[in-house]
Amino acid sequence: MELKDKLLSSFLAFEENVDMNSDIHDIRSRAIKDFEEMGFPTRKQEAWKYTSLNKVLKHDYTVFPKKHDTIDYRDVEKYFIDDIDTYKIVFIDGIYASHLSATTHDKIDACLMSSALNSSKYKPIIDNYFSTVAPKESLTSLNTAFSREGAFINIPKNTMADKPIQVLNFSTGNESALLVQPRNLIVVGENSHVQIIERHQSLTDQPVLTNSVTEVYADKRAIVDYYKIQNDNHNASLIDNTFIEQHRESICSVHTFSFGGNLTRNNLNYYQKGERIDSTLKGITVIGGKQHVDHNTLVHHTEPNCESHQDYKGVFAESSTGVFNGKIIVNKEAQKTNAFQANNNILLDDKATINSKPQLEIFADDVKCSHGCTIGQLDDEALFYLRSRGIPLKEARALLMYAFANNVLESVKIPELKARITKIIALKLGVNVGYSL
């Protein structure tokens, strides 16, 4: 049975275990019909021209994993950022792991999506925000149809989260092949601030496909710092869909660090719904082997006096493939827009590939918009200079690549996270700095 048919038949069983009288039931029912109509994306679609899901979809995935014996903290300790105090929302094979988590309902809500979906306390938030910014697309609709578990983060008006929130999704490999579909909802009230660190991590070499959807709502003057760490095993594939709606004078930044996994596709969409909004999208990709990372971004400017900044760096070794498809839309009303986009790439080997496609659709006449793309190799003269000063070849190459990615790293606002990312990059480049993953 093909995966699409298996999912359609599995939806009936899924419905038996959820509240069919809730408003969410209608949303799920419409979503599964949309997925049935659209199916999985193919390379015939322009947005998926350089990324094929055929090899990923061939596995016989388990859709409803069983709850297995819990994993111990010592088994996954290295994946946490424990240098700082954080809230933690942890899932194992898509199921909440209370013994690894540290949630809260005090000044903020950092808890479970399943609780929010079934609680009268959070019904106004669910009614107002759930599945209202995520577009009707194939994989988003599939996630919506099976939406049940994930992270629910609610930061009330005039509140600063007292510490960052870590959201970790572990896959145990107890299933021969596993499909997980986390659904996250993040609502940040007026004048509020939150920092979020997200990671998907497989613990074995069994095939795992994660189809994740995150909706973020930033009210007036809210500040959101979101960091995504993607450093998974070679049989793990991730399709990460993040949709952000911003309102007047809000500031939202997403940093995506892609270092591992089989196939990674990041769909990151920003929708600006007010004036003087600042949107930042930054990423670093360092991959090798036959790994494939695809960044697909959209920033839609609809109001005047807003800014957006995109800066994506890629380092591709061996037979790896990178894709960057960045789109900026500026509506006629969005005068005085400043929108910048840059995609810079280094190919370390002859068989490495990068496909870059910047897109600008500008309908206003008083704007500053630019885009740039570079593809090249390490500077031989700079490499020679470093080696002439006694620096070995491997370390010299690593230094140049650090410098290449440094402006993205410098914008990370959590020092402990910046140190962790820096040392992951060092390990990817083959320089031993004595640090965990």
Side-chain angles (χ1 to χ4, degrees):
M1 181 184 296
E2 291 188 357
L3 182 56
K4 178 184 176 181
D5 296 329
K6 182 176 184 177
L7 289 166
L8 293 175
S9 61
S10 298
F11 180 74
L12 300 175
F14 173 79
E15 285 280 81
E16 293 177 359
N17 297 308
V18 295
D19 184 4
M20 296 182 65
N21 295 318
S22 69
D23 295 335
I24 302 300
H25 167 70
D26 295 333
I27 296 174
R28 291 188 180 115
S29 298
R30 289 194 299 270
I32 197 65
K33 291 178 181 177
D34 291 337
F35 173 70
E36 182 177 14
E37 179 182 335
M38 292 181 285
F40 286 103
T42 69
R43 295 184 67 173
K44 293 181 180 179
Q45 298 167 244
E46 185 64 26
W48 290 82
K49 183 177 180 180
Y50 301 109
T51 300
S52 172
L53 296 179
N54 290 342
K55 291 183 179 180
V56 174
L57 300 179
K58 70 179 182 179
H59 299 288
D60 184 18
Y61 291 105
T62 297
V63 180
F64 305 123
K66 298 177 182 178
K67 188 172 183 178
H68 298 279
D69 294 337
T70 57
I71 57 177
D72 293 329
Y73 174 72
R74 63 177 178 270
D75 297 327
V76 294
E77 179 180 5
K78 63 183 179 180
Y79 301 115
F80 288 84
I81 298 177
D82 281 339
D83 309 80
I84 52 173
D85 188 21
T86 64
Y87 296 111
K88 301 174 183 66
I89 310 174
V90 183
F91 304 93
I92 301 173
D93 292 342
I95 300 171
Y96 176 60
S98 59
H99 68 294
L100 297 175
S101 300
T103 59
T104 182
H105 293 282
D106 190 10
K107 295 181 180 179
I108 67 171
D109 294 300
C111 56
L112 304 184
M113 192 68 184
S114 57
S115 299
L117 291 174
N118 297 308
S119 171
S120 58
K121 174 183 177 181
Y122 299 116
K123 188 177 187 302
I125 297 175
I126 297 299
D127 290 345
N128 287 332
Y129 299 109
F130 179 78
S131 196
T132 57
V133 68
K136 190 177 78 171
E137 296 175 347
S138 166
L139 295 168
T140 303
S141 296
L142 174 61
N143 178 285
T144 300
F146 287 91
S147 57
R148 178 167 57 183
E149 197 57 284
F152 175 76
I153 298 171
N154 176 42
I155 313 297
K157 181 179 178 180
N158 298 323
T159 302
M160 175 178 287
D162 56 324
K163 49 189 175 183
I165 301 170
Q166 292 190 69
V167 181
L168 297 101
N169 297 270
F170 294 111
S171 301
T172 61
N174 288 322
E175 311 289 347
S176 59
L178 176 65
L179 170 64
V180 290
Q181 301 197 78
R183 182 60 173 248
N184 306 315
L185 177 61
I186 300 163
V187 181
V188 186
E190 184 177 340
N191 300 317
S192 297
H193 182 198
V194 67
Q195 294 178 316
I196 300 169
I197 304 167
E198 178 187 76
R199 182 164 187 163
H200 300 270
Q201 186 67 49
S202 177
L203 304 177
T204 71
D205 290 328
Q206 297 282 41
V208 177
L209 172 59
T210 300
N211 177 36
S212 175
V213 171
T214 300
E215 294 179 290
V216 181
Y217 296 85
D219 209 337
K220 291 181 289 185
R221 294 178 296 280
I223 301 175
V224 180
D225 293 321
Y226 206 129
Y227 303 96
K228 296 174 179 285
I229 304 175
Q230 301 167 350
N231 188 29
D232 218 333
N233 294 335
H234 284 276
N235 282 334
S237 295
L238 170 65
I239 301 169
D240 187 77
N241 308 280
T242 301
F243 308 104
I244 300 174
E245 181 178 302
Q246 290 184 250
H247 292 268
R248 182 166 60 87
E249 298 178 11
S250 62
I251 301 172
C252 286
S253 65
V254 175
H255 289 69
T256 306
F257 301 101
S258 302
F259 303 126
N262 175 25
L263 180 148
T264 302
R265 164 79 175 212
N266 291 300
N267 298 315
L268 177 57
N269 292 12
Y270 277 72
Y271 304 98
Q272 297 187 343
K273 299 293 182 67
E275 293 192 41
R276 293 180 291 279
I277 289 172
D278 194 322
S279 304
T280 298
L281 306 76
K282 294 192 176 186
I284 297 175
T285 300
V286 183
I287 56 174
K290 294 184 178 180
Q291 292 176 304
H292 182 110
V293 172
D294 181 344
H295 294 287
N296 192 284
T297 69
L298 166 67
V299 181
H300 193 167
H301 294 266
T302 62
E303 301 286 343
N305 303 303
C306 294
E307 296 189 7
S308 66
H309 305 268
Q310 300 186 55
D311 190 2
Y312 282 79
K313 308 282 191 180
V315 178
F316 304 94
E318 299 169 323
S319 298
S320 60
T321 300
V323 180
F324 177 79
N325 190 348
K327 179 183 285 189
I328 299 172
I329 302 175
V330 182
N331 284 11
K332 184 178 180 180
E333 300 79 13
Q335 303 293 341
K336 304 294 183 182
T337 290
N338 291 335
F340 305 98
Q341 181 189 98
N343 175 226
N344 305 109
N345 305 281
I346 292 176
L347 303 180
L348 298 179
D349 296 289
D350 292 341
K351 293 185 178 180
T353 304
I354 174 67
N355 300 286
S356 186
K357 183 184 177 184
Q359 297 174 267
L360 299 180
E361 296 182 12
I362 303 173
F363 303 98
D365 53 17
D366 186 10
V367 299
K368 293 180 180 179
C369 297
S370 66
H371 65 83
C373 170
T374 62
I375 302 172
Q377 298 176 323
L378 291 175
D379 188 332
D380 288 336
E381 290 187 5
L383 197 60
F384 176 78
Y385 174 82
L386 292 174
R387 295 198 67 193
S388 70
R389 295 301 185 270
I391 299 175
L393 177 60
K394 182 183 289 187
E395 284 72 13
R397 287 163 63 92
L399 279 173
L400 291 179
M401 285 182 273
Y402 271 130
F404 173 71
N406 188 59
N407 63 326
V408 174
L409 286 171
E410 283 299 309
S411 61
V412 175
K413 297 177 182 178
I414 303 175
E416 296 82 359
L417 176 62
K418 184 189 297 185
R420 175 68 63 92
I421 296 299
T422 299
K423 291 168 184 177
I424 291 176
I425 293 175
L427 291 175
K428 289 291 293 185
L429 299 178
V431 181
N432 185 8
V433 292
Y435 202 85
S436 68
L437 300 177

